[in-house]
Amino acid sequence: MRFEKRMHYLEDVQLFRYRSDMAWYILLLLLLLAAPAAMGTYWVSLLIQIGIYIIVALGLNLLSGYTGQVSLGHAAFFAVGAYTSAILTGKYSIPFLLALPASGVAGAAAGLVVGLPALRLKGLYLAIATMGFGFIVEEIIVQWESVTNSVNGLMVTRPVIGPISFQSDKSYYYLVLAVVLIMVLAIKNILRTPTGRAFIAIRDSEIAAESMGVSLTVYKTAAFAISAFYAGVAGSLFAHFMFFIGPENFTIMESISFLVMILVGGLGSVHGAVFGAVFITFLPEAISLSRGYLPAVIGEQAGLQSAVYGLVLLLFIRFEPLGLYGRWLKVKFYFENFPFYKKDTFRRVRKFHRTVKQ
Amino acid sequence: MSDNGFFRAAGISIQFGGIKALENVSLDVKQGEVHAIIGPNGAGKTTLLNCISRQYKADSGQVFFQGKNILKLKPHQVVSRGIARTFQNIELFKNMTVMDNMLLGRHSQRATGIFSDILFYGKARQQESDFRLKVEEVIDFLDLQAYRNRIINDVPYGVQKNVELGRALVMEPRLLLLDEPSSGLNMEETQDLAFWIEDIRDDLGITIILVEHDMRLVMDSCDRVTALDYGGVLAVGEPKEVVKNPDVVKAYLGE
Ligand SMILES: Nc1ncnc2c1ncn2[C@@H]1O[C@H](COP(=O)(O)OP(=O)(O)O)[C@@H](O)[C@H]1O
Ligand SMILES: [Mg+2]
């Protein structure tokens, strides 16, 4: 049990509410800094992948989880970032430190292109429109051979910043970690200021948001732009991590796995984005491991991965709509309040007194 | 304090399909008064508020607020002119805390852009602290201390009504539109509301347009009344005159 006592007005929006929280996060950071020394390259490369996915998930969560706009086209923004970075550093020899933010800006520009016409669309219609955008970008990559080298793809090198080379996975890991930390901090700041509150307000009630002076046009497109900026930055890190990018990296399947990531992790929470990224990185590994043990009819099916994604989505939406983060909160609550835990603590109270909407 | 031309709506008409919800309705409100709009269900009271706050687009007519025509503005621009409102069927952000709901009332006062928010340093930090100070003032004014960090979904109906009123007050508006603030409240809560309405007018200096069914509240707290029926104005005047007006009596009691 803890007692709340506030000494100044910003206390509710401190990054770490309690000193013990801060201690845990410092410990986590130390572990992350030490990780490459203790791990093999396979694990380090998985951690890099998680980091890249965390950035995508943070952005997508801002758009879908906080602002309530579903996107099934995030692989497109990811692609725009990846190709921008590959072309800027490869063809034009522009330093990575400039190409990285430029990839984010290019992603954001693409986000505006989708966000503005999508203003009037909601729910399923928005999902379909963004999915359409994803197909268009995929097609552009294939057709625009002079720039993208079509299906043959582009070679990308690992970045060098000043005297430091990030050639090895272990060194590249630290670069990704630094970018992830900056992106997490930025999202946290957005969420504790008027910008983030306006996003959440739009999700909960557009009418009320407008009557608070929130411009739907401005904030809905801003959510798209910021979200796509995140995807663009992640795309850049992805390109330099993979050494090679081609259209097959940015298909609808990739967009779907991004969405699975935030749904499974937990919509509308920063922790959820992290949990989701971990989950989506290990799921394909687990699936390919399990192929060996499954009967051949199932194990050798090409669509096994999509089927598992679908099943996972169904199970989470049915049994744990708050995602892994919601489950984690419940477990934590159980231990903090042991033995006073009541099973119904998290059950939503049903209310019947709302008048009928006119 | 000039009483001339504080708020004037003239010749407002709006149709839905074949229904004339409002026909040539005018409304004059003096600065510093509590002006009630009464009338039976379906008379067009909510529609009139929606036309003023621009949720609906009136087919014709004009709305002047402090000398400027506001009938061309977007809803979010009306707010920055100093007009706040509440809704008949509470429109709160249901998954947010009481505190965060009321912080949104401050949105139109924000002086930072998205980029300085991302840095959360200097001005953005100071602004956040100032916003919270203002919200705490309103929380004290409306006795909401116990609910500060509760999610809207989990607080009682009466409290939700207060939060919506509080969220509007946090905006520091010059004109406040309230749509049936007492509906669903019990006796005690309605009495509190009557006190607050007087305080809002006298201490905060906010002019109020109030759609209300509870005639006692109208008689006790309102300076003038406009009675509507079938989308037209039946009578305007002081409460005790309007309730005696034969047209109004007929509209309420039937033939
Ligand atoms: N959005 C709408 N679409 C169609 N008809 C509407 C709409 N809003 C209001 N009306 C109609 O306008 C008339 C006035 O409604 P309203 O202003 O809600 O009445 P009240 O005085 O009870 O608040 C009613 O006949 C109602 O059906
Ligand atoms: Mg009404």
Side-chain angles (χ1 to χ4, degrees):
Chain A
M1 288 273 176
R2 281 200 239 239
F3 293 95
E4 307 272 343
K5 186 176 83 193
R6 287 179 185 70
M7 304 305 287
H8 62 89
Y9 289 117
L10 287 180
E11 215 144 284
D12 279 340
V13 288
Q14 294 305 309
L15 285 183
F16 309 107
R17 186 75 69 78
Y18 309 108
R19 231 167 238 201
S20 58
D21 281 359
M22 177 134 77
W24 282 114
Y25 283 108
I26 289 176
L27 183 66
L28 178 66
L29 185 63
L30 290 177
L31 282 176
L32 286 173
L33 286 173
M39 287 174 170
T41 38
Y42 169 72
W43 285 96
V44 173
S45 73
L46 283 184
L47 283 181
I48 292 172
Q49 216 172 321
I50 290 173
I52 292 169
Y53 282 147
I54 287 175
I55 297 173
V56 178
L58 289 171
L60 185 56
N61 217 346
L62 189 77
L63 183 69
S64 302
Y66 287 99
T67 320
Q69 306 187 93
V70 182
S71 166
L72 261 177
H74 252 54
F77 306 126
F78 193 58
V80 169
Y83 275 93
T84 304
S85 203
I87 292 163
L88 286 181
T89 57
K91 217 178 202 171
Y92 299 101
S93 311
I94 286 172
F96 172 79
L97 260 191
L98 289 177
L100 180 72
S103 309
V105 172
L112 286 180
V113 169
V114 188
L116 274 173
L119 273 175
R120 292 177 180 281
L121 302 176
K122 272 182 209 153
L124 197 57
Y125 300 99
L126 183 60
I128 291 169
T130 50
M131 187 168 84
F133 179 74
F135 287 133
I136 291 171
V137 168
E138 217 184 309
E139 196 57 29
I140 290 176
I141 295 173
V142 174
Q143 299 296 334
W144 200 8
E145 197 168 352
S146 60
V147 172
T148 63
N149 203 19
S150 190
V151 289
N152 298 318
L154 291 174
M155 302 290 288
V156 193
T157 54
R158 285 278 164 87
V160 179
I161 300 175
I164 313 164
S165 158
F166 294 94
Q167 189 59 39
S168 70
D169 278 4
K170 291 200 173 182
S171 56
Y172 194 64
Y173 165 86
Y174 288 106
L175 181 68
V176 174
L177 179 62
V179 179
V180 169
L181 289 177
I182 292 170
M183 299 306 254
V184 168
L185 190 66
I187 277 276
K188 280 278 188 194
N189 284 348
I190 289 175
L191 290 175
R192 57 180 166 163
T193 47
T195 309
R197 279 196 296 269
F199 289 152
I200 306 173
I202 289 174
R203 179 194 66 192
D204 273 13
S205 163
E206 290 192 1
I207 295 178
E210 259 191 323
S211 67
M212 295 298 107
V214 174
S215 160
L216 297 183
T217 316
V218 169
Y219 283 91
K220 280 184 163 184
T221 35
F224 252 106
I226 296 175
S227 181
F229 181 92
Y230 271 71
V233 166
S236 166
L237 291 174
F238 176 77
H240 294 275
F241 171 57
M242 298 294 283
F243 295 114
F244 176 84
I245 51 169
E248 71 278 4
N249 294 125
F250 310 103
T251 59
I252 175 78
M253 197 57 207
E254 196 69 7
S255 290
I256 291 175
S257 68
F258 291 159
L259 210 56
V260 172
M261 181 159 70
I262 61 165
L263 279 167
V264 168
L267 281 178
S269 86
V270 173
H271 287 86
V274 176
F275 288 163
V278 174
F279 180 83
I280 212 72
T281 304
F282 283 109
L283 189 60
E285 307 290 322
I287 292 173
S288 58
L289 271 181
S290 67
R291 273 182 204 274
Y293 301 96
L294 290 170
V297 221
I298 301 175
E300 282 159 23
Q301 285 293 332
L304 182 62
Q305 186 163 344
S306 327
V308 173
Y309 279 24
L311 187 67
V312 164
L313 264 191
L314 272 181
L315 291 177
F316 266 92
I317 289 172
R318 173 68 186 83
F319 295 109
E320 193 61 277
L322 295 177
L324 289 171
Y325 182 57
R327 171 62 34 191
W328 158 251
L329 281 185
K330 286 173 200 171
V331 171
K332 202 169 119 186
F333 186 85
Y334 176 84
F335 282 108
E336 275 176 1
N337 292 282
F338 189 81
F340 301 117
Y341 180 76
K342 289 214 300 281
K343 196 158 168 280
D344 286 341
T345 309
F346 285 91
R347 177 168 294 169
R348 268 258 163 274
V349 184
R350 277 180 203 278
K351 295 224 170 70
F352 296 99
H353 50 227
R354 248 180 89 98
T355 43
V356 181
K357 210 159 196 114
Q358 290 193 335
Chain B
M1 284 251 288
S2 101
D3 277 354
N4 267 339
F6 177 70
F7 177 89
R8 190 163 62 85
I12 306 281
S13 302
I14 184 170
Q15 284 200 11
F16 298 104
I19 303 171
K20 288 182 176 155
L22 290 177
E23 208 182 357
N24 200 17
V25 169
S26 296
L27 179 68
D28 258 294
V29 178
K30 299 195 180 88
Q31 184 160 16
E33 74 174 353
V34 176
H35 193 115
I37 300 174
I38 61 169
N41 268 328
K45 307 178 297 291
T46 300
T47 306
L48 182 57
L49 288 198
N50 282 342
C51 286
I52 297 171
S53 68
R54 299 284 296 129
Q55 254 79 32
Y56 290 168
K57 228 171 122 174
D59 297 334
S60 61
Q62 288 168 318
V63 179
F64 285 97
F65 179 59
Q66 298 187 314
K68 297 214 174 69
N69 193 349
I70 58 166
L71 209 52
K72 290 269 142 51
L73 300 179
K74 294 239 167 67
H76 68 89
Q77 293 169 320
V78 173
V79 178
S80 50
R81 296 293 168 88
I83 301 181
R85 70 166 296 176
T86 65
F87 294 85
Q88 186 172 351
N89 301 300
I90 304 177
E91 282 285 351
L92 286 166
F93 307 110
K94 288 195 283 170
N95 298 303
M96 289 193 192
T97 61
V98 169
M99 185 81 188
D100 281 342
N101 265 273
M102 294 177 72
L103 278 168
L104 266 150
R106 227 45 207 157
H107 186 88
S108 54
Q109 256 89 351
R110 74 178 293 190
T112 60
I114 290 175
F115 292 106
S116 52
D117 274 1
I118 290 177
L119 296 176
F120 196 58
Y121 190 75
K123 203 165 142 197
R125 226 183 152 80
Q126 186 56 45
Q127 170 177 279
E128 189 62 24
S129 182
D130 294 345
F131 278 13
R132 283 166 188 272
L133 175 64
K134 179 69 205 169
V135 170
E136 291 295 343
E137 276 173 34
V138 176
I139 283 180
D140 283 344
F141 179 70
L142 295 178
D143 271 335
L144 286 167
Q145 293 89 344
Y147 302 100
R148 196 181 271 114
N149 288 319
R150 299 272 294 278
I151 304 281
I152 293 297
N153 258 328
D154 299 336
V155 303
Y157 187 82
V159 175
Q160 293 188 12
K161 279 244 155 189
N162 284 348
V163 174
E164 211 193 12
L165 175 62
R167 190 179 63 177
L169 288 178
V170 168
M171 295 185 199
E172 297 183 287
R174 282 185 288 274
L175 176 65
L176 181 58
L177 316 176
L178 304 176
D179 198 349
E180 304 203 7
S182 78
S183 75
L185 299 188
N186 62 30
M187 281 269 278
E188 198 189 329
E189 289 167 333
T190 309
Q191 272 168 8
D192 284 344
L193 179 68
F195 284 122
W196 285 329
I197 286 175
E198 281 171 27
D199 285 350
I200 291 169
R201 180 192 56 195
D202 299 339
D203 300 347
L204 306 180
I206 297 171
T207 308
I208 300 177
I209 298 178
L210 169 85
V211 171
E212 190 47 68
H213 269 308
D214 185 331
M215 287 315 278
R216 268 209 20 223
L217 190 63
V218 172
M219 301 302 286
D220 291 351
S221 310
C222 299
D223 303 305
R224 286 201 310 148
V225 180
T226 295
L228 293 183
D229 196 19
Y230 293 114
V233 177
L234 286 182
V236 188
E238 295 200 357
K240 46 184 192 300
E241 294 164 13
V242 171
V243 290
K244 278 188 247 148
N245 182 305
D247 288 339
V248 176
V249 174
K250 207 165 86 184
Y252 268 93
L253 301 178
E255 292 295 329

